Structure formats: structure tokens, C-alpha cells
Amino acid sequence: MQEYSIKRGYGKNLEENMIQSLRDQFGVEPEESGGHYTIAFGALQRLEVWTGEKGKTLIVDTESNADVDDETIIETNRRFRKYLEQVTGYNSKERAKKAKKAIED
């Protein structure tokens, strides 16, 4: 499970953005259960997302499917990174920097 900070301005409609981004990046309709949204796509057997405390963070829990080819893994990872950027407003480098800073604090 991983928690991601949301860039200022991206948190206003976080839940709506979180759901629409799943549709945009993975092309599937998420299943909702108690505020958690779940999909399965490519190398992701399960991708579950929900908002964190006070709706200021995105929490992601994944379960991988190791029985897929390399091309599927690469495509799934690409879409997952795009999803995180679309929802959080931070690119991969910025997310890594934030995670490192959070560990140091």
C-alpha cells in the first residue's frame, strides 16, 4: 500500500478525478465499495484506490499478476504512472522526491 500527496489545486474534486482517471488511463469502469474503487488491468490483478485522511492524499493498493509477458508489464506500468500523475499532479521524479522527504521527516 502506498500513499501519495496531492498537489495544491488537484484535491478539490479528488474522488471524482480519481475515478475519471481510472477510466481515462485504463479504459475500464471501476467497482465501488465503501469509498474504495477497484479495477483489474494487464499486470495488475487488483488496483484499489481511495482518498486518505481529509481527502488530501491518494492511497493505492495493488496486487500484481506475474503470469503476464514483459510487454504487458511495461504497458501497465506506463498507464499506472500516467494515472498517478493525472490524479496527484506530480510526475515520477516529484513523487520520488516527496516520498524521500516524508521518510526524512
Side-chain angles (χ1 to χ4, degrees), residues 2 10 16 22-23 32 48-49 59 67 84 96-97 100 105:
Q2 187 73 37
Y10 280 73
E16 187 180 305
L22 287 171
R23 293 178 189 129
E32 192 270 335
E48 184 176 355
V49 296
I59 302 174
D67 299 329
L84 289 175
K97 204 174 195 179
K100 186 177 179 182
D105 289 345

Side-chain angles (χ1 to χ4, degrees), residues 2-3 9 12 18-20 25 30 48 50 52 56-57 78 86-87 98-99 101:
Q2 187 73 37
E3 189 167 8
K12 276 197 170 197
M18 185 175 72
I19 298 163
Q20 186 58 48
Q25 298 304 327
E48 184 176 355
W50 64 96
K56 295 189 184 279
T57 59
R78 184 184 67 78
Q86 186 174 347
V87 176
K98 285 232 171 253
K101 186 174 185 245

